[in-house]
Amino acid sequence: MFRKSVIFGRYFNRRQRFYDGSSSDDNSYSRNQVYAGSIAVAASALGFFELIRKAKLEHTERRKMDVSKLPLFKQEDVKKHGKDAERIWVTYKDGVYDVTDFVAIHPGGDKILLAAGASVDPFWALYSQHKTAEVLEILEGYRIGRLDIKDVPEAEPDAFSNDPPRHPALLVRNAKPFNAETPPSLITDKFYTPNELFFVRNHLPVPDIKTNDHRLTIETLNGKKIDLSVDELKKKFKSYTIGSVIQCAGNRRADMNQYKKVQGLMWEGTAISNAEWTGVRLRDVLTEAGIDVFDDKIKHVHFEGADIDPTGTPYGASIPMEKARGDEVIIAYLMNGVEIPRDHGAPLRAIVPGNVGARQVKWLRKIIVSEKESDSHWQQKDYRAFSPAVNLGDELKWDTVPSIQEYPVQCAICSPAPNTKIDRDDGFVEISGYAWSGGGRGIIRIEISADNGKTWHSCEMEQEKKQDLEHMYAWTLFKAEVKIPPNVKEFNIIAKAVDRSYNTQPETASGIWNVRGLIHNAWHRVHIIVSD
């Protein structure tokens, strides 16, 4: 296999010959697209942004092009290259791009096809995470011309302009769509995270739903449907309250990225929060719809939200029926005793205690029972952790690994912060943090080490008294005093946890690394600097 830098070099060389007309090969355009496709797909889908930056430095002079000399196209020319054409074109602002070879490999290729023969501007207005310098650089690898200025679309309105206000203390990881972590220094102050400090994971703009108008549809195997209002849910069914963690599958991705580069939003250690949720049991609602929750034909329960992408596709996910009929799974309408805030799913949210946050669909509007798993992009492609044998640049075979449901045992130190300076005369460092395990497996032990794991000391734990070790869905908070090791200028505090099934955390990301940077739970380390 060629070294990646060599491949990048050949790609840029070929692209330069195409633009300056130095190639006498009639097929140079097609070959350019193949190179652009293979390189840009690897870069976009699998995170080769560092390689891109390196390649840009190495080939700056050769890759410069005079865009003004490229062919000028009208929108009617682009329209001829729709999804059924031999070559697929799209426009972005005043550029015309051939994305034929990109579509076949990119995970969201079916969505790109909706813009075939037209502009991607309306889609990128919604998926604003595409508008980065790296992605725009990748797109330029597909440029074949300019769009007539008379056909350039007007700027799209901000799809996120109606999002709710947020607390200024939240640590923003992405502004549009909004994604933010709870401040580590505040996360252990309260056992149940205040709503305004609860971490936020959004994939699309936040819907603004009037509770009185909202309807929840339940659909059976034979297509029969019933609709329930929020008020009917509250009146017809017994309510239940459960303390439960929600944790993003990408929590601590930044730590895994330090071990080896991964692709995704760089969550640090607090894309996790704990709340009391009140609602009605999912199985009671399914029974009301005439569904036998023990029917062997029903294998999965699908959830659909009211957050919709430009294709009209709602955010969706599914859980196994075996989980869905459990006591703990509810359709929630209260969060910490008040109506669920908009950012967290108002007016209804699926709460699936013990499972990864991606399955706990917000703004819940539809429930479907099925013989198969949801075919949603977020079920089938976005939240699957590939084997460590799969590397950046490898084609991801999505059906070779199951979608993530339960989360493994997790533990992190929240205070002190990394690189905190302490006075040796203090003698001790006070620490605090959280631990949690999926599937209701309670935490039985949390241990701390200040000598790289040679010796360990148990921590004081705070747990939900109404839950037992077999059904513990709320997190465990911990605190301890760590003695400053003698004769050191710096050291690491390490934390790890053990759950009820005696699962523990791996020492490093070596055996759990995956290209998507998901469910990272290696020992958590916090670097401390000692001053005399």
Side-chain angles (χ1 to χ4, degrees):
M1 182 176 180
F2 292 113
R3 290 185 303 110
K4 298 180 183 72
S5 59
V6 173
I7 295 174
F8 272 105
R10 291 184 179 181
Y11 159 57
F12 283 120
N13 287 339
R14 287 182 178 270
R15 188 175 71 169
Q16 179 62 23
R17 290 201 298 273
F18 171 71
Y19 285 126
D20 64 18
S22 61
S23 175
S24 60
D25 187 348
D26 291 339
N27 294 322
S28 62
Y29 166 73
S30 295
R31 292 220 305 261
N32 174 74
Q33 290 303 306
V34 171
Y35 273 86
S38 61
I39 299 304
V41 167
S44 178
L46 301 175
F48 276 139
F49 294 156
E50 290 299 327
L51 287 169
I52 289 172
R53 282 191 283 269
K54 181 179 179 182
K56 284 164 60 181
L57 291 172
E58 291 177 354
H59 302 278
T60 296
E61 293 305 318
R62 282 179 288 172
R63 59 175 287 279
K64 281 182 179 178
M65 60 179 172
D66 187 350
V67 173
S68 66
K69 293 181 180 180
L70 294 177
L72 185 68
F73 297 103
K74 290 187 173 293
Q75 188 62 56
E76 60 189 44
D77 299 321
V78 178
K79 191 174 181 180
K80 296 174 184 177
H81 293 271
K83 65 178 181 178
D84 297 321
E86 184 177 349
R87 305 297 303 181
I88 297 167
W89 293 6
V90 299
T91 68
Y92 176 62
K93 295 185 176 179
D94 62 349
V96 179
Y97 306 88
D98 184 318
V99 294
T100 309
D101 303 293
F102 182 78
V103 170
I105 308 175
H106 190 272
D110 55 340
K111 298 190 188 319
I112 298 172
L113 286 175
L114 291 163
S119 172
V120 298
D121 294 66
F123 296 84
W124 281 22
L126 199 58
Y127 295 106
S128 61
Q129 61 267 39
H130 287 83
K131 291 189 284 189
T132 65
E134 291 87 355
V135 174
L136 292 173
E137 181 65 27
I138 292 166
L139 184 65
E140 285 306 303
Y142 294 91
R143 183 188 275 268
I144 59 170
R146 298 169 295 134
L147 185 64
D148 191 317
I149 192 169
K150 290 179 286 189
D151 293 334
V152 175
E154 294 182 8
E156 288 293 317
D158 186 353
F160 300 89
S161 61
N162 194 37
D163 272 16
R166 280 93 182 201
H167 197 284
L170 289 172
L171 304 177
V172 180
R173 302 301 177 210
N174 194 73
K176 299 176 183 180
F178 189 79
N179 291 278
E181 297 187 52
T182 306
S185 61
L186 303 180
I187 198 170
T188 59
D189 285 354
K190 295 181 181 295
F191 189 78
Y192 287 114
T193 313
N195 291 355
E196 62 271 21
L197 295 179
F198 202 98
F199 92 98
V200 181
R201 176 62 172 116
N202 292 335
H203 297 85
L204 297 161
V206 177
D208 192 359
I209 302 169
K210 291 181 173 59
T211 301
N212 291 339
D213 296 336
H214 189 68
R215 308 289 295 184
L216 177 64
T217 300
I218 299 93
E219 184 175 325
T220 68
L221 272 181
N222 60 16
K224 176 188 173 185
K225 299 178 183 179
I226 68 165
D227 286 332
L228 294 167
S229 68
V230 177
D231 195 49
E232 286 173 324
L233 277 172
K234 293 178 179 179
K235 290 179 178 178
K236 292 186 73 169
F237 303 96
K238 183 179 178 181
S239 68
Y240 295 88
T241 297
I242 185 168
S244 184
V245 155
I246 294 179
Q247 180 172 203
C248 179
N251 190 30
R252 297 187 60 206
R253 179 181 279 133
D255 287 351
M256 185 176 278
N257 190 64
Q258 289 180 1
Y259 174 81
K260 183 179 176 182
K261 188 169 180 60
V262 297
Q263 182 258 340
L265 194 63
M266 287 300 150
W267 295 107
E268 295 191 2
T270 50
I272 181 173
S273 297
N274 190 41
E276 277 196 314
W277 306 92
T278 300
V280 300
R281 280 183 174 144
L282 174 60
R283 71 169 184 229
D284 292 345
V285 175
L286 296 178
T287 301
E288 175 69 15
I291 297 166
D292 179 0
V293 296
F294 291 96
D295 185 343
D296 289 339
K297 293 181 182 177
I298 302 173
K299 303 298 183 184
H300 302 271
V301 176
H302 300 194
F303 302 124
E304 288 184 4
D307 47 338
I308 299 172
D309 73 10
T311 72
T313 303
Y315 181 89
S318 64
I319 61 173
M321 171 54 89
E322 185 177 5
K323 178 70 176 182
R325 62 174 173 249
D327 290 349
E328 69 275 15
V329 182
I330 65 172
I331 302 167
Y333 44 78
L334 297 181
M335 178 180 180
N336 289 326
V338 300
E339 291 186 355
I340 299 174
R342 280 183 61 202
D343 254 337
H344 301 294
L348 298 175
R349 179 173 191 168
I351 295 298
V352 188
N355 283 37
V356 70
R359 312 303 168 215
Q360 306 193 49
V361 174
K362 299 191 278 189
W363 312 293
L364 185 65
R365 69 171 187 176
K366 195 171 187 178
I367 299 171
I368 305 166
V369 295
S370 177
E371 296 174 279
K372 64 176 186 176
E373 197 176 46
S374 168
D375 60 4
S376 162
H377 166 81
W378 294 278
Q379 187 79 20
Q380 295 300 324
K381 293 184 177 180
D382 208 18
Y383 292 101
R384 293 178 184 241
F386 288 85
S387 163
V390 179
N391 296 305
L392 284 168
D394 293 348
E395 182 180 351
L396 300 183
K397 297 179 180 178
W398 302 101
D399 59 355
T400 61
V401 293
S403 59
I404 299 169
Q405 292 288 349
E406 294 182 357
Y407 208 100
V409 60
Q410 178 69 285
C411 175
I413 298 167
C414 298
S415 179
N419 300 315
T420 293
K421 294 181 179 179
I422 60 172
D423 193 318
R424 188 183 304 280
D425 291 339
D426 291 343
F428 293 86
V429 183
E430 293 184 353
I431 69 161
S432 64
Y434 67 82
W436 184 74
S437 189
R441 295 179 290 273
I443 299 297
I444 62 173
R445 189 167 69 247
I446 300 167
E447 297 174 316
I448 295 294
S449 176
D451 57 7
N452 295 315
K454 294 177 184 177
T455 59
W456 297 90
H457 305 278
S458 294
C459 297
E460 180 184 339
M461 302 191 301
E462 178 187 2
Q463 297 179 320
E464 171 58 74
K465 295 181 175 59
K466 292 178 284 188
Q467 297 179 359
D468 59 52
L469 289 175
E470 317 295 338
H471 309 87
M472 189 169 289
Y473 303 105
W475 62 15
T476 296
L477 297 183
F478 68 87
K479 59 184 179 180
E481 283 189 344
V482 175
K483 189 175 182 179
I484 300 172
N487 305 318
V488 298
K489 294 290 186 181
E490 56 187 3
F491 67 101
N492 286 327
I493 302 174
I494 304 173
K496 65 182 177 74
V498 182
D499 72 15
R500 175 63 184 85
S501 295
Y502 286 88
N503 298 310
T504 191
Q505 298 169 247
E507 183 173 351
T508 72
S510 174
I512 58 173
W513 182 93
N514 59 89
V515 295
R516 290 283 288 112
L518 297 170
I519 52 178
H520 178 49
N521 71 329
W523 292 358
H524 191 227
R525 294 168 168 83
V526 172
H527 186 241
I528 301 296
I529 300 168
V530 182
S531 59
D532 293 306

